[in-house]
């Protein structure tokens, strides 16, 4: 029997589709297997003073890429094709949201001005230095036909720190003060870098004048404020809905699902409106942990705490595993194989600019921040400044995603200059993550003895969703009493407490407003009415 041309074509398409689907299933199976291997090996290396989950996933990704290269005879090194959409839409939101959801809010907002100083002003300083260095040095190396916008994009790409790796290198309980500064700065830094990158792409930089520059600054401030406000509104809306409708009477699943979906909706809405999704979902996480989390049932609290942490954990491993495999992509390295010296030179220049750019703002801005601190315990000492400088040197998935966005199309490039920039970005990411990441923990142990690690822990509240029954934002004396009973810290004298935490501060007025207006409306610990079967049913210990 002879088949007609149309039928033959249809069957061929079906066959190719089936083959493609089978290949996708095999790829997903292999990748999930690698994720499991990363978790198991990471657990075995838990007590290692050098390794962390990020470096473990990177090394496993490199080894896997090498095996794939050998089995495919140099044709490919990875199972999946990199997509910045995959990173920004699916992987980054759970990481940033969980960071905001778990952050110690009192420590974070006490250092809020310093965090904004480092994250916004510091990133701009780093951006200027890296961009000027790229224009002055890389332009002379003649790596490609780059224009002003390309060099400014390089400045934005390499100004983005790796907040994911920082989360795993620093410990929130051992170094609460440093953690809040470096982590908070990292989130604001990522948002600033992405906003800068997008602004560079949309503005006419060739005909730059004062009007365009002012418009650039105004647009920058608008994105920051509106993104933060959108995140806070999304968190408050979720709190109001759950508090008013009492989902927990019938199904705790609805509570958990609504929290997850509202958090993700805030991120996607910010992207739809061309705002910073990173800032939006981060502040949504903070607001949800302060209000929404206390309006759900006890079982929902436990579920959301572990669900958000698990999603974030898997996304982090996924990112570093893929970065490790993509580092050996033969297509990109083929373009630079004729001039390996130039590729190494570009990577070295970029790494040097990253070191210089970070030092140029950490130490001067720390000095300015210390001038505003009256209490010695709130100042950033020189050894702490060194740790902050070092811990923020790691470059990661945000830099990779921005580099692919600028210098590649669908993960591929046919231009030699673009290939050099992609491979140089991979080199800087691998070197900074492995070398700087490996040495961060030992550096902290050398520079900061255990006594200094606990510095400022008086001002850090218990980790909100991590400690299910701990008071959320206790006053200074109350918190000292609680921690004193636990045997972790001695209770300071009332004069010392008065000097270290003045009565009439921004935090004091915020608490009065929060207790009088916000919590009665949006719920929270101790302010939602007691109704049998409601989320506030007394299933927790009184405080």
């Amino acid at each position: 029997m002879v088949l007609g041309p149309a039928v033959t074509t249809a069957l061929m398409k079906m066959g190719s589709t089936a083959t493609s689907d089978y290949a996708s299933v095999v790829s997903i199976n292999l990748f999930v297997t690698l994720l499991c291997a990363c978790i198991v090996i990471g657990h075995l290396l838990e007590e290692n003073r050098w390794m962390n989950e990020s470096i473990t996933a990177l090394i496993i990704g490199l080894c896997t890429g090498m095996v794939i290269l050998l089995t495919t005879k140099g044709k490919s090194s990875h199972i999946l094709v990199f997509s910045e959409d995959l990173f920004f839409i699916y992987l980054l939101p759970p990481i940033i949201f969980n960071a905001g959801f778990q952050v110690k809010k009192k420590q974070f907002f006490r250092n809020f001005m310093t965090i904004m100083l480092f994250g916004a002003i510091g990133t701009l300083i780093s951006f200027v230095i890296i961009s000027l260095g790229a224009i002055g040095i890389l332009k002379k190396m003649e790596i490609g036909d780059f224009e002003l916008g390309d060099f400014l994009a390089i400045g934005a790409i390499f100004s983005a720190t790796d907040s994911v790796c920082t989360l795993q290198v620093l410990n929130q309980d051992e170094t609460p003060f440093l953690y809040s500064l470096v982590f908070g700065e990292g989130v604001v830094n990522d948002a600033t870098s992405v906003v800068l990158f997008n602004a560079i792409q949309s503005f006419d930089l060739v005909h730059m004048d004062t009007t365009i520059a002012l418009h650039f600054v105004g647009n920058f401030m608008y994105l920051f404020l509106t993104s933060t406000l959108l995140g806070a509104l999304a968190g408050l809306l979720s709190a109001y809905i759950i508090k008013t409708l009492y989902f927990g009477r019938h199904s705790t699943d609805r509570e958990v699902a609504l929290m997850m979906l509202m958090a993700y909706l805030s991120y996607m809405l910010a992207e739809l409106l061309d705002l910073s999704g990173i800032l939006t979902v981060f502040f949504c996480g903070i607001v949800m942990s302060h209000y929404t989390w206390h309006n759900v049932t006890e079982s929902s609290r436990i579920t959301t705490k572990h669900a958000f942490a698990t999603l974030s954990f898997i996304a982090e491993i996924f990112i570093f595993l893929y970065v490790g495999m993509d580092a050996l992509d033969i297509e990109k390295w083929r373009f630079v194989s004729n001039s390996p010296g130039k590729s190494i030179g570009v990577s070295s220049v970029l790494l040097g600019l990253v070191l210089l750019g970070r030092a140029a703002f950490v130490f001067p801005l720390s000095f300015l921040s210390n001038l505003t601190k009256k209490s010695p315990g709130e100042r950033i000492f020189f050894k702490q400044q060194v740790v902050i400088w070092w811990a923020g040197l790691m470059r990661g998935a945000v830099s990779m995603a921005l580099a692919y966005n600028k210098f590649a199309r669908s993960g591929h490039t046919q231009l030699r200059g673009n290939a050099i920039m992609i491979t140089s970005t991979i080199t800087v990411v691998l070197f900074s993550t492995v070398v700087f990441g490996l040495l961060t923990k030992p550096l902290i142990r050398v520079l900061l003895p255990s006594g200094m690690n606990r510095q400022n822990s008086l001002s850090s509240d218990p980790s909100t969703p991590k400690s299910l029954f701990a008071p959320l934002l206790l006053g200074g004396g109350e918190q000292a009493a609680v921690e004193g009973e636990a045997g972790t810290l001695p209770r300071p004298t009332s004069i010392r407490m008065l000097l270290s935490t003045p009565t009439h501060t921004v935090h004091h007025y915020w608490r009065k407003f929060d207790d009088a207006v916000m919590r009665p409306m949006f719920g929270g610990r101790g302010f939602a009415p007691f109704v049998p079967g409601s989320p506030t049913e007394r299933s927790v210990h009184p405080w």
Side-chain angles (χ1 to χ4, degrees):
M1 187 173 82
V2 181
L3 296 174
V7 178
T8 304
T9 305
L11 288 176
M12 288 176 65
K13 286 183 178 179
M14 288 175 63
S16 62
T17 303
T19 304
S20 175
D21 290 342
Y22 178 77
S24 299
V25 171
V26 171
S27 299
I28 293 172
N29 272 279
L30 287 173
F31 211 90
V32 172
T33 303
L34 290 173
L35 288 173
C36 294
C38 288
I39 293 172
V40 172
I41 296 173
H43 170 72
L44 296 176
L45 296 174
E46 181 71 27
E47 300 301 324
N48 191 291
R49 61 182 295 180
W50 300 91
M51 300 294 288
N52 60 61
E53 299 281 356
S54 302
I55 298 173
T56 303
L58 266 179
I59 294 173
I60 292 176
L62 282 169
C63 296
T64 306
M66 201 173 298
V67 172
I68 297 173
L69 265 180
L70 294 174
T71 55
T72 59
K73 298 180 180 180
K75 293 181 180 179
S76 177
S77 69
H78 44 64
I79 301 169
L80 304 174
V81 177
F82 182 86
S83 168
E84 55 267 21
D85 290 337
L86 171 68
F87 172 71
F88 280 111
I89 295 177
Y90 300 109
L91 298 178
L92 191 60
I95 296 172
I96 301 299
F97 174 79
N98 183 65
F101 193 70
Q102 305 282 8
V103 74
K104 293 186 176 182
K105 292 184 291 298
K106 189 172 182 181
Q107 183 74 273
F108 177 82
F109 284 106
R110 175 165 296 216
N111 301 307
F112 185 74
M113 293 308 298
T114 305
I115 288 170
M116 292 302 296
L117 195 66
F118 282 179
I121 307 299
T123 304
L124 290 174
I125 294 173
S126 179
F127 162 74
V128 170
I129 289 176
I130 295 175
S131 298
L132 292 176
I135 293 171
I137 302 174
L138 297 184
K139 199 170 185 179
K140 295 178 181 178
M141 297 178 71
E142 298 180 352
I143 60 174
D145 188 19
F146 288 166
E147 299 177 350
L148 176 62
D150 298 315
F151 291 112
L152 293 180
I154 291 172
I157 289 167
F158 289 97
S159 296
T161 62
D162 183 16
S163 56
V164 175
C165 197
T166 301
L167 289 174
Q168 298 186 356
V169 171
L170 293 177
N171 187 292
Q172 186 166 212
D173 298 317
E174 292 179 1
T175 55
F177 180 59
L178 285 179
Y179 182 94
S180 67
L181 283 182
V182 176
F183 158 67
E185 179 231 327
V187 173
V188 179
N189 168 284
D190 285 346
T192 306
S193 300
V194 174
V195 169
L196 272 174
F197 182 85
N198 292 332
I200 290 167
Q201 302 291 90
S202 59
F203 276 87
D204 182 11
L205 301 171
V206 178
H207 305 93
M208 177 69 77
D209 56 19
T210 307
T211 305
I212 295 177
L214 290 175
H215 185 219
F216 182 90
V217 174
N219 187 50
F220 187 80
M221 296 303 297
Y222 165 78
L223 286 175
F224 255 88
L225 294 175
T226 50
S227 300
T228 302
L229 183 62
L230 178 61
L233 289 176
L236 290 175
L237 180 61
S238 68
Y240 185 79
I241 291 174
I242 290 178
K243 173 180 176 291
T244 305
L245 299 181
Y246 293 145
F247 283 90
R249 286 180 300 178
H250 304 295
S251 172
T252 58
D253 296 337
R254 292 192 180 101
E255 292 180 323
V256 178
L258 187 64
M259 287 184 70
M260 288 184 171
L261 292 173
M262 287 291 291
Y264 191 66
L265 178 63
S266 71
Y267 182 87
M268 294 308 299
L269 191 58
E271 293 298 312
L272 180 66
L273 299 174
D274 291 326
L275 303 177
S276 171
I278 295 175
L279 274 178
T280 297
V281 79
F282 176 70
F283 280 97
C284 179
I286 289 180
V287 173
M288 276 194 177
S289 71
H290 189 60
Y291 297 109
T292 314
W293 191 74
H294 295 284
N295 293 340
V296 299
T297 58
E298 183 182 348
S299 60
S300 293
R301 291 177 199 153
I302 298 171
T303 303
T304 51
K305 169 200 157 188
H306 291 293
F308 293 142
T310 302
L311 289 173
S312 172
F313 178 70
I314 294 174
E316 290 170 11
I317 298 176
F318 188 104
I319 289 170
F320 284 100
L321 184 61
Y322 185 82
V323 168
M325 282 190 288
D326 194 62
L328 297 176
D329 186 9
I330 197 69
E331 179 196 331
K332 292 185 267 304
W333 290 103
R334 189 182 291 119
F335 285 98
V336 300
S337 59
N338 295 330
S339 54
K342 181 168 288 189
S343 179
I344 294 173
V346 171
S347 301
S348 302
V349 168
L350 291 172
L351 197 60
L353 290 174
V354 167
L355 290 163
L356 179 63
R358 184 155 183 85
F361 77 82
V362 168
F363 298 105
L365 294 185
S366 295
F367 174 77
L368 291 177
S369 176
N370 288 340
L371 294 178
T372 65
K373 306 294 184 183
K374 296 181 180 180
S375 171
E378 295 179 349
R379 293 175 184 166
I380 310 171
F381 298 112
F382 180 73
K383 290 183 178 180
Q384 292 175 316
Q385 295 174 28
V386 173
V387 173
I388 293 170
W389 169 70
W390 185 269
L393 290 173
M394 288 171 280
R395 296 297 179 264
V398 174
S399 295
M400 288 279 292
L402 294 179
Y404 272 99
N405 184 284
K406 179 65 180 177
F407 299 109
R409 294 292 179 272
S410 300
H412 303 284
T413 180
Q414 299 295 326
L415 299 176
R416 179 173 173 273
N418 289 359
I420 289 177
M421 287 312 306
I422 294 289
T423 54
S424 298
T425 304
I426 291 171
T427 303
V428 171
V429 167
L430 287 177
F431 183 86
S432 62
T433 302
V434 174
V435 176
F436 299 149
L438 281 174
L439 296 178
T440 300
K441 286 183 179 179
L443 184 70
I444 291 174
R445 289 190 178 95
V446 171
L447 292 180
L448 304 176
S450 57
M452 281 191 73
N453 285 353
R454 294 285 178 178
Q455 181 182 345
N456 296 310
S457 55
L458 270 176
S459 61
S460 67
D461 60 312
S463 196
T464 324
K466 288 184 179 179
S467 305
L468 292 178
F469 306 121
L472 179 59
L473 287 172
L474 292 176
E478 292 169 320
Q479 177 152 340
V482 171
E483 293 176 341
E485 290 171 7
T488 56
L489 287 169
R491 178 168 181 162
T493 62
S494 43
I495 295 178
R496 178 183 159 198
M497 180 59 69
L498 181 62
L499 292 174
S500 62
T501 50
T503 304
H504 298 290
T505 60
V506 175
H507 178 250
H508 169 76
Y509 290 114
W510 160 249
R511 283 201 62 192
K512 290 183 66 175
F513 175 75
D514 193 28
D515 292 348
V517 179
M518 299 298 289
R519 292 195 186 187
M521 182 181 299
F522 298 105
R525 182 175 297 277
F527 281 86
F530 170 70
V531 177
S534 75
T536 52
E537 188 172 359
R538 308 243 181 214
S539 57
V540 297
H541 303 295
W543 58 288

